[in-house]
Amino acid sequence: MITHELIERIEGEALIDFRTDRSGRVQDAQIRFLHFRGMEAILEGRHPLDALVIAPRVCGICGHSHLIAAVEAIEAAYRHSGAEVKLSMKARSIRNVTKFSELLQNHLKWLYLIMLGESAKLLREEHPLPLKALNAASQANRLAALFSGQWPHSSYALPGGVTCDPTHIEIMQALKILAELERFVEAEVLGCSFGEFETIRSYRDLTALGGDFGKLLQNVERLGLADTGHSHGRFLVLGEHPGCRSMAIDGNTRRAADVANVSEDASAVIEGKTYAKNALYEGAFYETGPLARALVSGRSVIGAIHEAHGDSASVRIAARMDEMVDLLKNIRRLIETLDLSEPSYIAPPPIETISGEGRGIVEAPRGSLIHTLRIEKGKIIAYAMITPTQWNLGNGTAVSPGVAQKAMIGAQSRDKASFLFRTFDVCSVCTTH
Amino acid sequence: MAERREAFKMLFSANSAKVETNKGDAYYDRLFQQCRARLDELKASQPLQAIDFHEILSDEGYDRREFMKWASAATAMLMLPPMFTPLVAEAAELMTRVPVIWLELQDCAGNSEALLRSDGPKIDEILLDIISLEFHETLMAAAGHQADAQLEDAMHAFKGKYLLFVEGAIPMGMEGQYGTIGASGETFHEHLVRVAADAAAVVAVGSCATYGGIPAAAPNPTEAVGVMDVLKGKPIINIPACPANPANMVGVILHFVLTGQVPELDSLLRPKFAFGYRIHDNCERRAHFDAGEFVEEWGDEGAKNNFCLYKMGCKGPMTFNNCSIVRYNEGVNWPIGVGRGCIGCSEPDFWDKYAYERPMSDANIKAPTGGVEKTVDQFGLGVLTATAVGIGIHAAASAVAGKKSDEGEAQ
């Protein structure tokens, strides 16, 4: 039986065509995205710095990652054309603080606005929209806005640095907001201190946590989904991330990843099924995002659980939650070591003199984001983006399914499959752009 | 928080910030009676949700005094005289009685994201949590077919009474196939027309819904347009900007609850209380503009000293909006605060005309003169945003005008 299932409460909406057997078990799931804007075409022919205004607007929830990818792509084009572009440590750190804040707010919203609510619904339990979570996510946005001016959609980064020039007052404000966020994650998300969290080594101990993170894992367990949602076991990290190098993992083999092996497949778009192109590494579907990052960086608790449970729904959830702690730690380190006497911005040569190609790769909330552009004398000739959800939500066939597709196949019902789909942190506007 | 609210009120009621909306005592007395009657009528109606507003307030740590301070700031923002403060407070308590339906079309969800963290006083946040959001893809509990049913139910139950918020542009190319909704494949255009039919008023939120936004940027691949380009015979309120400031979304709802009417609008259908003056008029760097102190290059001494960003392409003098007062993210900052200049995101065609690396001072137009308090209707439209402005012509205009990257903004 074929059923169209609408997936909302994401950024935009997706349609899944489920093929189920008589018992309702999912045999195949075709993922379709039915909304397109043509952002790449809009960028072509423009002044390169326009990308810093337009590219962030691909997505209202990870626009900042798009900004950083765009500015890094332009900087790479400078270098490609033989021109020097320098960045101070300070500018680099500030870009990372705002980027990590964006990841943090994304994970908070995914946990509270999507996952806790959806799991409660499947269990037929009440889950009111928690004000406390909105407030915490807002604090993460405030932290970003202190340096970037506003969130969503800031454009404060430029080739050569950032426009903000924070003083000790902003640093104090940032540390105050950060402390609030740390308190929230300890008290509400984890239900224990960071110190205690770091001693956890087993999945059992994670599910026993008293906070909302533990509650979500318990819900997943009660739904019988903890050990489901297995995919290909192939992971990819292409951007730089704390403790994390560009790497591809396929089962037990790990190797340095080369972005030259990335390709796009537009056949489903051409057939008119969807507006999302598939992103492939060495011609195969790879999972990107927090779980890939945790495995590459070797964050101990996730590594151990993955060893025992494989790439299941619960491990995927655990990786996103664990990353919150990691992000908070890194934001604190970056702010505390910021040298305010360094320049925020070092002027590169005028962009009108630049002809070259460049690529910016960023580890965005949902995985590896790639912007590639070619500039001819200060004009964008070509602009291409590959977004995180293109990797995870690719539309393969029943024989060779995409990452999320494979995770859904075998689910007991469409509802449960839709829930597994959401464990990938679905984003429609990013996928099609 | 309390100090900020006071500052907020002072800014909104300062002479420089005001659009001249004083219509005399007789007018306000009449309006007061009208609002009184409207609120009494709402009070007699059934609440859509069983919520004790004051209990929620006190749970969140606000007492009555705090709440009244918020109400007086909100009254100032709506440009009403202080005598309306108790009515605004009552309207806030009655916000649950006005149903809101929120549609996402060709968007990035940035306005929904902004809505989740409405500006400044946290009371706004509480209000947003309790307004009767009968349908919102991201925020509501229902999903999929259940959500479809919920939308139908809400449209039926609140026929003629709901406020319809629209986020995102409407793609008209390829017979609307660039954006479809649901299993039935209804186009965004069909969907909008159908849901708008029984709305009391339609609020276009963000630059995509108002003027087509980024999707309508040249070459406008999907032939995107704004709500007012395709919807006729309905009161429409535009709240442009990318993203729209949540304070203005709350303001519009509050005004509707209070008066049962749309607020006073300018020729681009924007509420005058929010778009009656320019960013420049209340900018924190304004004194440097007046003193002729400018940032000349990114990262120079002027930049370190927070000089005016006009020569770096700031569009504050051409951009009508209240962000220099409201700011963003609970007032923590705004683009000018990080030395980046305004990109004019609440103006029509900002994507083709206002990208910030093209300084307006180099363009063949004059700096605004003749008094900075003039409103968009008196000033600016014809001079500053010359070619492609006008209701109903955005898509065609951006396709024809092409990308104006090097030509400046001259007429």
Side-chain angles (χ1 to χ4, degrees):
Chain A
M1 189 177 139
I2 306 259
T3 318
H4 300 300
E5 191 87 19
L6 205 56
I7 311 287
E8 291 146 320
R9 303 185 63 232
I10 54 175
E11 313 297 304
E13 63 168 31
L15 192 69
I16 306 183
D17 295 335
F18 283 114
R19 189 158 56 78
T20 48
D21 66 14
R22 221 168 264 170
S23 70
R25 193 176 283 271
V26 172
Q27 308 288 307
D28 184 25
Q30 292 291 311
I31 306 165
R32 299 164 64 191
F33 291 96
L34 304 172
H35 160 204
F36 177 74
R37 285 165 297 170
M39 301 292 284
E40 289 160 337
I42 288 167
L43 282 160
E44 278 162 23
R46 281 176 198 269
H47 192 288
L49 300 192
D50 278 12
L52 306 178
V53 178
I54 291 174
R57 289 169 164 89
V58 165
C59 180
I61 204 163
C62 63
H64 204 77
S65 302
H66 280 277
L67 169 68
I68 304 299
V71 78
E72 288 186 0
I74 299 170
E75 285 168 346
Y78 265 100
R79 295 191 187 102
H80 184 251
S81 75
E84 197 175 31
V85 53
K86 277 193 265 183
L87 269 187
S88 68
M89 256 327 270
K90 177 178 144 189
R92 233 180 260 278
S93 295
I94 291 175
R95 284 184 189 179
N96 278 332
V97 167
T98 55
K99 197 174 72 185
F100 295 163
S101 303
E102 179 165 278
L103 268 80
L104 189 62
Q105 64 85 30
N106 178 75
H107 296 350
L108 282 166
K109 269 187 272 185
W110 175 81
L111 169 64
Y112 283 98
L113 296 187
I114 311 282
M115 298 310 284
L116 279 169
E118 289 297 311
S119 62
K121 208 165 66 186
L122 281 179
L123 290 162
R124 298 178 201 289
E125 288 171 6
E126 280 285 310
H127 177 75
L129 182 68
L131 266 180
K132 64 176 186 187
L134 282 182
N135 187 49
S138 300
Q139 298 317 307
N141 298 138
R142 282 181 75 206
L143 187 56
L146 258 180
F147 301 99
S148 71
Q150 71 179 48
W151 193 96
H153 296 340
S154 76
S155 310
Y156 85 113
L158 288 169
V162 292
T163 58
C164 67
D165 218 336
T167 64
H168 287 289
I169 295 172
E170 275 92 35
I171 299 304
M172 275 159 54
Q173 263 181 297
L175 288 172
K176 182 168 171 284
I177 297 171
L178 181 62
E180 258 181 72
L181 277 163
E182 289 165 338
R183 264 200 307 278
F184 180 84
V185 171
E186 286 190 320
E188 303 288 340
V189 178
L190 303 177
C192 70
S193 71
F194 292 146
E196 286 169 88
F197 184 71
E198 270 165 21
T199 64
I200 289 179
R201 288 289 173 272
S202 74
Y203 177 62
R204 228 6 68 217
D205 290 344
L206 274 188
T207 52
L209 282 173
D212 294 315
F213 171 28
K215 190 178 169 203
L216 176 59
L217 288 178
Q218 289 154 27
N219 284 358
V220 172
E221 191 125 314
R222 286 163 65 206
L223 287 164
L225 292 173
D227 246 328
T228 69
H230 295 283
S231 190
H232 299 289
R234 289 193 292 261
F235 300 94
L236 183 69
V237 173
L238 290 168
E240 274 180 35
H241 206 72
C244 201
R245 276 248 163 89
S246 160
M247 194 177 276
I249 303 178
D250 185 352
N252 291 324
T253 63
R254 292 168 165 249
R255 57 205 190 282
D258 183 351
V259 72
N261 298 329
V262 173
S263 64
E264 278 190 298
D265 162 25
S267 53
V269 179
I270 293 160
E271 289 162 24
K273 287 184 186 155
T274 177
Y275 284 117
K277 286 189 264 187
N278 292 337
L280 303 164
Y281 186 76
E282 290 179 345
F285 288 109
Y286 273 72
E287 176 171 348
T288 72
L291 178 53
R293 293 194 284 259
L295 295 179
V296 167
S297 66
R299 288 210 308 280
S300 54
V301 58
I302 302 302
I305 299 169
H306 177 256
E307 200 113 305
H309 297 265
D311 55 347
S312 67
S314 47
V315 177
R316 211 162 270 129
I317 292 168
R320 201 171 290 274
M321 297 301 99
D322 176 64
E323 190 168 82
M324 283 196 209
V325 178
D326 199 52
L327 289 165
L328 282 167
K329 235 189 307 181
N330 278 294
I331 294 171
R332 177 166 285 284
R333 178 181 54 81
L334 288 168
I335 296 177
E336 282 177 348
T337 57
L338 210 56
D339 180 357
L340 295 183
S341 66
E342 287 186 24
S344 294
Y345 175 80
I346 303 165
I351 190 103
E352 287 72 19
T353 62
I354 299 300
S355 297
E357 273 179 26
R359 186 178 281 129
I361 310 179
V362 161
E363 282 300 312
R366 292 150 171 143
S368 304
L369 167 68
I370 309 171
H371 282 214
T372 310
L373 55 53
R374 193 151 54 81
I375 301 172
E376 292 282 354
K377 291 206 171 85
K379 209 167 214 177
I380 297 172
I381 300 303
Y383 206 105
M385 301 179 215
I386 295 178
T387 61
T389 38
Q390 271 179 267
W391 297 99
N392 292 344
L393 310 180
N395 201 41
T397 60
V399 185
S400 166
V403 176
Q405 277 180 313
K406 178 140 188 343
M408 286 189 282
I409 292 170
Q412 284 168 342
S413 67
R414 297 195 311 267
D415 282 351
K416 287 188 173 174
S418 304
F419 183 81
L420 293 172
F421 186 54
R422 290 176 196 278
T423 62
F424 289 93
D425 196 5
V426 178
C427 175
S428 148
V429 296
C430 194
T431 311
T432 56
H433 46 273
Chain B
M1 193 59 79
E3 297 89 72
R4 193 180 125 61
R5 207 165 301 148
E6 274 307 295
F8 196 68
K9 183 180 160 189
M10 272 175 61
L11 277 164
F12 271 118
S13 46
N15 272 333
S16 70
K18 253 190 191 157
V19 195
E20 205 35 80
T21 52
N22 190 348
K23 304 202 170 64
D25 290 347
Y27 172 86
Y28 288 115
D29 284 342
R30 207 166 51 240
L31 183 65
F32 192 93
Q33 294 313 322
Q34 188 191 324
C35 294
R36 182 70 270 154
R38 157 84 173 166
L39 293 175
D40 288 342
E41 191 190 315
L42 278 180
K43 228 187 266 176
S45 72
Q46 279 300 311
L48 301 170
Q49 299 180 64
I51 282 171
D52 186 334
F53 180 61
H54 288 283
E55 200 178 290
I56 296 177
L57 278 187
S58 70
D59 284 354
E60 294 292 318
Y62 293 103
D63 59 16
R64 179 83 194 157
R65 204 166 143 266
E66 277 277 289
F67 175 59
M68 290 313 290
K69 276 190 175 175
W70 172 88
S72 86
T75 307
M77 185 182 105
L78 292 173
M79 294 188 177
L80 292 168
M83 69 192 263
F84 281 81
T85 301
L87 294 190
V88 168
E90 259 185 74
E93 292 166 43
L94 293 169
M95 266 172 108
T96 55
R97 311 212 177 181
V98 173
V100 172
I101 291 179
W102 182 294
L103 294 186
E104 285 187 56
L105 303 177
Q106 199 180 19
D107 71 328
C108 71
N111 297 290
S112 293
E113 288 301 325
L115 178 85
L116 288 179
R117 62 197 58 77
S118 89
D119 172 80
K122 287 204 184 114
I123 291 172
D124 283 7
E125 210 166 274
I126 298 169
L127 283 175
L128 285 172
D129 201 49
I130 63 162
I131 56 169
S132 193
L133 211 50
E134 295 300 318
F135 183 84
H136 188 297
E137 275 186 13
T138 316
L139 299 180
M140 68 192 174
H145 296 294
Q146 202 187 349
D148 274 352
Q150 187 167 332
L151 174 60
E152 294 299 323
D153 287 352
M155 283 164 59
H156 183 73
F158 306 111
K159 191 170 176 174
K161 290 187 183 148
Y162 56 88
L163 277 181
L164 175 61
F165 276 66
V166 182
E167 175 178 14
I170 305 104
M172 301 301 283
M174 215 170 62
E175 295 175 337
Q177 292 302 311
Y178 286 114
T180 58
I181 280 187
S184 69
E186 189 176 29
T187 67
F188 284 170
H189 180 214
E190 292 162 345
H191 191 61
L192 170 65
V193 169
R194 184 166 65 86
V195 181
D198 289 324
V202 181
V203 188
V205 183
S207 290
C208 294
T210 49
Y211 313 124
I214 292 283
N220 194 350
T222 61
E223 295 173 41
V225 298
V227 170
M228 65 185 177
D229 297 318
V230 295
L231 214 54
K232 305 294 165 201
K234 277 282 156 193
I236 295 174
I237 305 160
N238 281 334
I239 312 179
C242 188
N245 205 312
N248 297 334
M249 306 186 213
V250 175
V252 165
I253 303 177
L254 203 52
H255 190 281
F256 184 75
V257 174
L258 184 64
T259 64
Q261 290 171 359
V262 302
E264 196 181 343
L265 306 176
D266 68 16
S267 63
L268 290 170
L269 307 182
R270 306 180 288 195
K272 283 192 181 173
F273 74 75
F275 297 92
Y277 38 85
R278 279 169 281 154
I279 304 247
H280 192 61
D281 302 342
N282 301 289
C283 180
E284 64 203 22
R285 299 191 183 205
R286 175 58 188 272
H288 293 295
F289 175 88
D290 294 343
E293 293 170 334
F294 295 98
V295 177
E296 307 278 349
E297 271 174 58
W298 300 113
D300 69 3
E301 277 307 301
K304 290 194 180 76
N305 289 311
N306 298 337
F307 283 1
C308 175
L309 292 158
Y310 183 65
K311 289 190 179 176
M312 298 310 293
C314 178
K315 309 304 183 297
M318 299 81 183
T319 304
F320 290 80
N321 206 343
N322 58 2
C323 26
S324 44
I325 304 179
V326 182
R327 315 207 339 160
Y328 269 96
N329 303 93
E330 300 179 20
V332 73
N333 218 337
W334 67 309
I336 309 248
V338 295
R340 214 252 305 109
C342 165
I343 58 166
C345 74
S346 55
E347 293 302 311
D349 288 357
F350 82 94
W351 56 90
D352 283 334
K353 304 167 73 66
Y354 282 171
Y356 67 91
E357 84 293 349
R358 295 192 285 280
M360 299 303 273
S361 52
D362 291 349
N364 187 20
I365 59 164
K366 289 197 176 84
T369 51
V372 289
E373 278 78 41
K374 285 194 172 179
T375 72
V376 68
D377 286 335
Q378 297 166 290
F379 173 90
L381 247 185
V383 185
L384 294 170
T385 52
T387 45
V389 181
I391 296 168
I393 59 162
H394 309 295
S398 30
V400 174
K403 293 163 184 173
K404 305 180 186 66
S405 53
D406 303 315
E407 291 111 48
E409 271 65 36
Q411 295 191 48

